[in-house]
Amino acid sequence: MVLPVGAKRGQETLIRQLTTVVPQGVCPGETHLSVGCGDTHVLLVKVPLEALPGDKLLLSQGQDSSWTCSIVRQRSSDPRRQQLPQDHSDPLEKRITLLVPPRVAPGESKLAVSVGEGARVHLTVPAAAKPGDAIELRQELVGPGKGGLPADAWRCKLVCDKVARGEPREGLGHVSKLRPLHAPPACGDKVCADLFAAVRAAGGVVSSKLVRGSTPPLCIPGILAAEPIQAGEELCRIPNRLHISPDTARELTPELWRAATAQSEVPESRRHEAAQCVFLAQLLHGAEERAAGDGGSPPDATRRCWLSASDAHPDVRTVWERYADGLLNEDFASHPYRLAAASPDTMRESFEPSTEADYFIQMAHDVHTIYQVLTRACPSTISGQWPEFSMFFRARLCILTRVFQASCDSTLVPVVDLFNHASGADYGVSWRWNEHEQAMTATARRAHTAGEELFCSYGPRSNLLLYRTYGFTQSPDTEPAWTCTVWPDYVLAIYDMFLPAGESRVPIVLESKHMEDSLCEVLNQVRRNGRDATEFLRLICARCMWPYEHDPALKPALQALRRARQADPASSAWWSELTQTDRDLALDEFARIKMCEYLCLVAHADAIESIEGNLSESHCLRGTEHLRSILMDALNMLRNKCAFRLRHILQDPVD
């Protein structure tokens, strides 16, 4: 029972009290619970709006036979949350938990909180509060049988989530300090020419107009036009049998495949990739031995016989050997996995307030962990020596940065993976899997002059996704989309309030062009828990935007964004409004990634305001129309108590 603030003890006498627990799946403010009174009577109790699953409802009957209901919230056992002091007298407590809403001024804004029975508590938002933080209001009740009533004073406590970051993980040293090669790899241009010749000899097509080389502004080895190329010209056609995919490992090393895919310690989604990594690592070892042999050192016959003993056709083996010779030139020294492993603290400092550094640290650790699992279980499944970690890691990053979707996911396609990436209208090569011919083809989308570099598109990826995969970013004016990952540990209070207790807490991937499955899943979970999915997403966005908006290093970029939106409310062109002093921010990879994440959050926050009629469509960020459309449909379904699911439509990978 709750009395208005200021009520005195002793104003009422209780006849009896009953308790019941709020079950999962109820809708606060709507669902009614039946509570037996110990005789033939049953109380029908509406679940209070403030109640959460697992809360205890205290039902009290007064002398006038009327019943009142109050919430008794159990103390959280989550060690990651700050706890209220333990009271050894173990009194019953009434607790109300609320979240700091968006757009409040900490230390100034006042909140009016309903505590039941028409009573309200007025409180000032704590000065240290951030959107999405939990505020606990507590009122002690004297236990049953002692004849007391609730105290008239409410206590307020700000509960801030604190993310505990452990020490650098085991195995990071192995990632950061890969063994040097026994000999320098073969010259890239010669290896490329040999690869082209091997592909042609094996039945593939590589245009004679293609050569390996580099030109400004990238000055990174890629594919150049040796002669003028016309629009529509076929540049290469690589048959499926020359690809290296998980199916390749399954067909040529079946024992390895069975052993690798049976490892329960490896996530199921990663087991095929693990077997493919071992297969490619052996090819890389062979390439290293050939390079050492060319320098006068004898090659290791135990590794060479591994591929020769397989069922691959000699022409195919030659293509793979020439391909591996070229891959050996990649050391991935600047890839974020290696940078994070070499200096986790430096990586975190560079990314703050973004949480991406933790992702890279985790992924570097995972590569080593998977290698250890396979090393314990699989060495006897292949002929020759088991690959060293240095080659396994190189193989993993080769697969991460080069794969296509062909006859199956995660397919390495020699030659086609030599084209560098360009965004927008700059790319001139389209690639496509031809199901009928069982081949990957690359075709010129436009004419190219002799000496011009040919670019393809790696897809409409945001700077965050480009950096995660390839270790580079693009100019923000050509960035086609924005991405932000919401990690549960950073929004615990919001997850606790909106999601069912015990529900798996998965990261949410936000995309500015569409809705990812993870967001679909969590919004449906919120609805099933009887909570407001719109408010959940609004709080998530506000909470995640807060650290960016209070980051001194990002302040010039955010001020530039405000100036851009003042001139054009739909503009995201923060780079165009930077002052002369801050121009270099647009060139900084970490600033690009952080602004990518922030703009993605803004796109979702704007979408919610637009859906609710608080913001004109013309004032939402340009390029996010599809997101707003699909989000509006999803939230409307959830409001009507309907679940929703996504239907994915496959589109051309580049056009």
Side-chain angles (χ1 to χ4, degrees), residues 482 561 565 569-572 599-600 602-603 606 617 619-625 628:
W482 308 304
L561 176 63
R565 297 197 75 177
S571 173
S572 60
L599 286 168
C600 183
V602 171
D606 282 359
E617 279 274 332
H619 284 61
C620 296
L621 290 177
R622 193 172 293 111
T624 61
E625 294 80 9
R628 293 197 297 277

Side-chain angles (χ1 to χ4, degrees), residues 345-371:
D345 291 338
T346 300
M347 195 68 157
R348 286 191 177 112
E349 290 173 7
S350 299
F351 268 104
E352 285 183 348
S354 170
T355 59
E356 274 298 288
D358 291 327
Y359 171 82
F360 296 125
I361 294 167
Q362 178 64 52
M363 294 309 297
H365 168 72
D366 283 353
V367 176
H368 187 259
T369 299
I370 290 173
Y371 175 78

Side-chain angles (χ1 to χ4, degrees), residues 520-642:
C520 169
E521 177 184 345
V522 77
L523 291 179
N524 277 297
Q525 287 178 353
V526 170
R527 186 206 69 85
R528 287 196 298 270
N529 196 37
R531 295 290 173 173
D532 186 339
T534 302
E535 189 60 25
F536 169 80
L537 186 56
R538 192 200 319 272
L539 278 166
I540 288 288
C541 291
R543 175 53 181 253
C544 293
M545 289 164 64
W546 190 92
Y548 295 89
E549 293 171 344
H550 291 78
D551 178 31
L554 211 56
K555 185 176 180 180
L558 295 180
Q559 290 175 335
L561 176 63
R562 282 194 288 273
R563 289 192 290 270
R565 297 197 75 177
Q566 285 171 356
D568 176 4
S571 173
S572 60
W574 60 274
W575 57 90
S576 67
E577 293 293 332
L578 289 169
T579 64
Q580 193 63 38
T581 305
D582 300 316
R583 286 289 179 189
D584 286 347
L585 270 179
L587 304 176
D588 183 87
E589 287 188 324
F590 299 112
R592 289 176 174 181
I593 293 168
K594 287 185 272 191
M595 286 303 293
C596 166
E597 294 174 312
Y598 182 75
L599 286 168
C600 183
L601 293 166
V602 171
H604 283 78
D606 282 359
I608 293 171
E609 295 304 308
S610 175
I611 291 167
E612 296 196 332
N614 300 323
L615 186 67
S616 166
E617 279 274 332
S618 62
H619 284 61
C620 296
L621 290 177
R622 193 172 293 111
T624 61
E625 294 80 9
H626 180 66
L627 170 69
R628 293 197 297 277
S629 174
I630 194 170
L631 194 56
M632 179 173 66
D633 290 344
L635 294 177
N636 283 338
M637 290 180 192
L638 295 175
R639 286 193 186 100
N640 293 325
K641 297 182 173 54
C642 297

Side-chain angles (χ1 to χ4, degrees), residues 218 420-427 456-468 470-483 574-575 585-596:
L218 287 184
N420 285 323
H421 167 76
S423 297
D426 291 336
Y427 75 93
C456 73
S457 171
Y458 295 173
R461 297 173 183 255
S462 66
N463 272 330
L464 181 143
L465 294 182
L466 281 177
Y467 191 77
R468 270 190 182 185
Y470 307 104
F472 68 82
T473 60
Q474 58 202 329
S475 176
D477 64 318
T478 62
E479 189 176 15
W482 308 304
T483 308
W574 60 274
W575 57 90
L585 270 179
L587 304 176
D588 183 87
E589 287 188 324
F590 299 112
R592 289 176 174 181
I593 293 168
K594 287 185 272 191
M595 286 303 293
C596 166

Side-chain angles (χ1 to χ4, degrees), residues 305-325:
C305 72
W306 168 78
L307 186 56
S308 300
S310 74
D311 293 330
H313 189 278
D315 286 349
V316 175
R317 291 203 302 269
T318 301
V319 170
W320 290 347
E321 288 174 349
R322 300 292 81 78
Y323 181 59
D325 291 342

Side-chain angles (χ1 to χ4, degrees), residues 1-3 7-9 70 139-142 148-153:
M1 183 177 68
V2 180
L3 295 178
K8 304 297 183 182
R9 291 181 183 269
S70 60
Q139 190 179 49
E140 292 187 357
L141 304 172
V142 177
L149 290 173
D152 58 347

